[in-house]
Amino acid sequence: MIKLLVSALLVLVTISSTLGKPEKAAPKKEKRVPQTLSRGWGDELIWTQTYEEALFRSKTNNKPLMVILHLEDCPHSLALKKAFASNSEIQKMADEDFIMLNLMYETTDKHLSPDGKYVPRILFVDPSLTVRADITGRYANRMYAYEPADVDLLISNMKRAKKLLKTEL
């Protein structure tokens, strides 16, 4: 008699737990864990660690590479970083359409300093591993420099890098 009651109880528990389960909700997009590689330029973005890794990922994913060269204590770099990180359009494009790299040191690749070594500067590299020297900022003496006031120009240049990817490659 006790075995019968225990068996019946187990069947009831099993049935009620099965019926009581809610419908599976659509999977939520998990929030990404902030990376130290962002250095404040966009904690939700995926950043590459080295220029070589970034070139490889650009080529294999067929996405343009955006290289940001800056210094941690440079007031111009800090101001641009704040504008870059707080602009949702830049962050969305960077996340979806670009391989991202920010460097606080100069590379040995002379192509990343076509008009000199200054910070901050932003260059674009297409998946054919060609530095896009034709995508520039507004200054003649620092062609790849951007300031916080140049956010609209940077957005335009990001769109241009994406467009050139589709039309030239």
Side-chain angles (χ1 to χ4, degrees), residues 9-20:
L9 183 62
L10 285 174
V11 169
L12 285 174
V13 169
T14 305
I15 290 172
S16 66
S17 68
T18 304
L19 295 176

Side-chain angles (χ1 to χ4, degrees), residues 32-65:
R32 294 184 185 149
V33 177
Q35 300 180 24
T36 56
L37 292 176
S38 78
R39 297 180 182 100
W41 288 88
D43 290 341
E44 297 297 315
L45 302 177
I46 302 295
W47 294 91
T48 53
Q49 190 165 359
T50 64
Y51 184 51
E52 292 74 20
E53 175 193 355
L55 290 173
F56 175 78
R57 288 186 57 207
S58 174
K59 189 170 182 82
T60 57
N61 293 308
N62 198 35
K63 288 184 176 182
L65 164 62

Side-chain angles (χ1 to χ4, degrees), residues 18-143:
T18 304
L19 295 176
K21 287 186 178 176
E23 292 288 321
K24 285 192 174 183
K28 293 180 182 177
K29 187 175 180 182
E30 290 185 29
K31 192 171 183 177
R32 294 184 185 149
V33 177
Q35 300 180 24
T36 56
L37 292 176
S38 78
R39 297 180 182 100
W41 288 88
D43 290 341
E44 297 297 315
L45 302 177
I46 302 295
W47 294 91
T48 53
Q49 190 165 359
T50 64
Y51 184 51
E52 292 74 20
E53 175 193 355
L55 290 173
F56 175 78
R57 288 186 57 207
S58 174
K59 189 170 182 82
T60 57
N61 293 308
N62 198 35
K63 288 184 176 182
L65 164 62
M66 178 188 281
V67 182
I68 304 168
L69 293 114
H70 63 101
L71 291 175
E72 190 172 14
D73 57 351
C74 167
H76 302 288
S77 296
L78 293 171
L80 181 61
K81 178 193 306 189
K82 184 177 179 182
F84 187 98
S86 65
N87 186 292
S88 59
E89 188 174 1
I90 287 176
Q91 292 293 304
K92 184 177 184 334
M93 271 196 292
D95 184 39
E96 296 174 359
D97 303 317
F98 288 87
I99 303 300
M100 299 298 298
L101 174 66
N102 71 64
L103 297 174
M104 292 192 305
Y105 57 88
E106 290 293 337
T107 69
T108 56
D109 189 332
K110 66 182 184 294
H111 295 105
L112 290 181
S113 53
D115 66 336
K117 296 180 179 183
Y118 53 87
V119 292
R121 67 182 188 275
I122 299 176
L123 292 113
F124 297 92
V125 183
D126 66 34
S128 71
L129 309 184
T130 303
V131 174
R132 297 305 312 220
D134 56 335
I135 301 177
T136 62
R138 66 181 171 118
Y139 304 101
N141 62 335
R142 296 173 294 130
M143 293 174 49

